[in-house]
Amino acid sequence: MMLLGCIVAEISLNGTVYGYDKQASANDSSKEGVASNSIERLSEALRKALGEFDHAFQSRNVDALKQLFAPDIVMYEQGTQNRGRDDVLTNHLGPELSSFQELAATYSDIRVMESERMAIITRNFSIKGKRQGRFFGIRGTETQGWQLRDGRWELAHLHWSFPSSH
């Protein structure tokens, strides 16, 4: 439960905010001069997949996450590596998410690099929640690698980092 190891207790939870900061996450529609209907459709599909991930994570819905994860996903968090959807969900993220009573996240500094079949999303996160009756809050950075496979975006890489305590 790596995320839990980095949690700092807070006195209270300041509201429940689902999703991400739409102002910070708005994609630049210019795509640096590359404009086509297929690219725009992919962008819309990627935004939808990211929204589904955010909702599934915050609602602690492991079944929904499983549908978004590529079978060969690799997840890194604080020096731990999980390989494959089953390893990620059974040995890391599933038990971790089920230990929370409440969970809400906000995102900022969202950057998207997208091509026809791959996308990298980086963003800062702030997570607040409740575990074992205690409120907590944590901040960090996230990198997601998405691949378009069989017409749908799948999360193939997930990396969370937290500020050093030094």
Side-chain angles (χ1 to χ4, degrees):
M1 298 214 195
M2 298 303 297
L3 179 63
L4 300 179
C6 297
I7 293 174
V8 177
E10 286 191 353
I11 295 174
S12 66
L13 178 66
N14 296 323
T16 301
V17 180
Y18 290 95
Y20 55 91
D21 183 343
K22 289 174 180 55
Q23 180 74 14
S25 68
N27 282 340
D28 180 1
S29 61
S30 70
K31 294 284 183 188
E32 297 192 359
V34 177
S36 78
N37 288 335
S38 64
I39 294 294
E40 291 304 314
R41 279 195 300 261
L42 292 175
S43 296
E44 184 178 321
L46 180 59
R47 278 193 301 272
K48 181 180 181 220
L50 180 60
E52 289 172 0
F53 171 82
D54 291 344
H55 186 280
F57 178 80
Q58 292 178 69
S59 63
R60 304 173 315 275
N61 186 337
V62 174
D63 291 332
L65 288 172
K66 185 175 184 173
Q67 298 303 312
L68 293 166
F69 288 173
D72 57 346
I73 185 173
V74 177
M75 180 178 163
Y76 297 94
E77 183 180 5
Q78 299 302 97
T80 298
Q81 180 186 73
N82 296 96
R83 290 186 169 272
R85 183 171 38 212
D86 291 337
D87 184 28
V88 169
L89 293 173
T90 302
N91 299 317
H92 189 138
L93 203 51
E96 190 169 85
L97 290 174
S98 68
S99 72
F100 297 113
Q101 291 85 46
E102 296 177 23
L103 188 65
T106 56
Y107 303 97
S108 63
D109 194 22
I110 299 167
R111 297 168 190 237
V112 177
M113 294 167 277
E114 181 180 356
S115 69
E116 286 186 35
R117 304 201 57 76
M118 298 190 77
I120 297 172
I121 298 172
T122 62
R123 59 190 183 171
N124 297 327
F125 63 81
S126 176
I127 296 175
K128 294 181 181 184
K130 185 177 180 182
R131 180 177 178 264
Q132 295 179 342
R134 297 183 68 184
F135 291 103
F136 68 86
I138 188 159
R139 295 175 187 268
T141 58
E142 175 182 67
T143 302
Q144 297 180 353
W146 292 82
Q147 290 184 323
L148 187 63
R149 297 179 177 174
D150 297 323
R152 68 180 204 91
W153 287 101
E154 292 184 343
L155 188 57
H157 174 91
L158 184 58
H159 186 163
W160 287 316
S161 299
F162 304 92
S164 172
S165 60
H166 303 305

